[in-house]
Amino acid sequence: DAGITQSPRHKVTETGTPVTLRCHQTENHRYMYWYRQDPGHGLRLIHYSYGVKDTDKGEVSDGYSVSRSKTEDFLLTLESATSSQTSVYFCAISESSSRGTGRSYEQYFGPGTRLTVT
Amino acid sequence: GENVEQHPSTLSVQEGDSAVIKCTYSDSASNYFPWYKQELGKRPQLIIDIRSNVGEKKDQRIAVTLNKTAKHFSLHITETQPEDSAVYFCAASSRSNFGNEKLTFGTGTRLTIIP
């Protein structure tokens, strides 16, 4: 497995509280991603980062914010958690280029964080 | 945006037989198609991928085929074994402005190998 860790691995929180999930990588990869996984939906991209302080939205970004102050860390924040944000959250990373093409392809996933909002 | 459909949602196969999972995508600009395997409670693991300039790729017992004209791609697993039991996800890429590929995933296929 690529050197990716996520913390916490499990969290239960109440509606309306802020929550921050952390992704940490030791691979020095340029790109980092946050996905959520829900039954019947597969994996859906929330936000991604293409460098320190550089982020962009994915397909389900409403209610989430992200920050990347260091290459190795990518934080996902739920400002005010709702029950619809109960999910398993996966971080992924990809390197800056692949086989000399100048583009980044393969994504490798962290172990996931199971978040329950009550 | 990209839309990926995956079929079937569940598949049971006798050990030793072959399994085929199919995906269709909507964006003709997509050019990268990975497949992930996810065991219960674990992270998705990349098992094989294909780029749009190739029609087929094989790695031991698994292979992926791509038909760009019809916008569909398939995963083939031959000589299935109990350890192949898992959920499999296909994905299609859309190119970002920042050098990476953004993935849109199918909804998954739960493959069960019957001993």
Side-chain angles (χ1 to χ4, degrees), chain B residues 20-88:
Chain B
V20 180
I21 302 170
K22 299 181 179 181
C23 289
T24 61
Y25 62 98
S26 61
D27 187 352
S28 57
S30 290
N31 67 346
Y32 173 63
F33 307 91
W35 286 88
Y36 286 83
K37 175 184 179 182
Q38 187 177 29
E39 297 176 350
L40 189 62
K42 300 293 181 64
R43 73 188 76 191
Q45 298 263 22
L46 179 67
I47 56 171
I48 195 168
D49 56 13
I50 192 168
R51 299 185 197 179
S52 59
N53 58 346
V54 176
E56 183 174 359
K57 183 177 179 181
K58 193 172 182 180
D59 183 3
Q60 299 182 12
R61 295 186 299 106
I62 61 174
V64 57
T65 58
L66 171 65
N67 183 326
K68 283 211 72 180
T69 302
K71 289 190 279 189
H72 67 71
F73 56 112
S74 301
L75 177 71
H76 304 253
I77 306 174
T78 58
E79 301 172 10
T80 53
Q81 301 169 2
E83 53 265 37
D84 294 329
S85 292
V87 178
Y88 291 81

Side-chain angles (χ1 to χ4, degrees), chain A residues 65-80:
Chain A
S65 62
V66 290
S67 64
R68 190 168 179 202
S69 59
K70 298 184 289 185
T71 298
E72 56 266 36
D73 289 328
F74 192 31
L75 304 181
L76 176 71
T77 298
L78 291 65
E79 300 291 347
S80 178

Side-chain angles (χ1 to χ4, degrees), chain A residues 31 37 99 103-104 107 109, chain B residues 36 38 51 95 98-99:
Chain A
Y31 301 97
Q37 184 174 37
R99 305 189 189 103
R103 299 206 62 83
S104 171
Q107 293 186 22
F109 284 82
Chain B
Y36 286 83
Q38 187 177 29
R51 299 185 197 179
R95 191 165 293 178
F98 310 109

